[in-house]
Amino acid sequence: MMPAPPSTPKWMIVLIVIILLPVFQFPFLLSDCPDLPIVRALLWIYPFYCLVAAYLAYQCYPQRHALAWILLLLMIMSHVSVWLLATTPLGLS
């Protein structure tokens, strides 16, 4: 029999959930975004990306700590970039 892999620590689960919280601003971002198809498409992809990244960080942490941290950092950067995309005026004429 193979030994059971180590589980993800509770503190990491709490950290993943905290980093995932900005996804709940999605309705606000969608109502406040510019009316361009590419912006709307990126905003609709954003919650799915965050959920998948959080799940993968949870799954890979016991064996690959660095990859989990990279996924969390990418998720933080995506929060910032989507917020800037939705709230900054594009200045298109």
Side-chain angles (χ1 to χ4, degrees):
M1 285 187 129
M2 292 179 48
S7 63
T8 304
K10 302 284 187 216
W11 63 267
M12 186 63 171
I13 296 171
V14 170
L15 183 66
I16 291 170
V17 170
I18 289 171
I19 292 175
L20 194 59
L21 285 178
V23 171
F24 292 109
Q25 70 181 350
F26 175 69
F28 168 73
L29 289 175
L30 198 59
S31 68
D32 206 23
C33 78
D35 195 24
L36 293 172
I38 188 68
V39 174
R40 287 212 175 264
L42 289 172
L43 283 177
W44 277 102
I45 292 171
Y46 164 68
F48 299 111
Y49 162 74
C50 288
L51 289 174
V52 170
Y55 174 73
L56 291 175
Y58 167 77
Q59 285 290 86
C60 76
Y61 183 80
Q63 294 178 346
R64 299 182 183 205
H65 302 298
L67 184 59
W69 286 109
I70 290 169
L71 285 169
L72 293 177
L73 288 174
L74 286 173
M75 194 167 28
I76 291 169
M77 289 190 301
S78 72
H79 293 322
V80 172
S81 64
V82 165
W83 182 76
L84 286 173
L85 176 69
T87 59
T88 305
L90 297 177
L92 298 175
S93 301

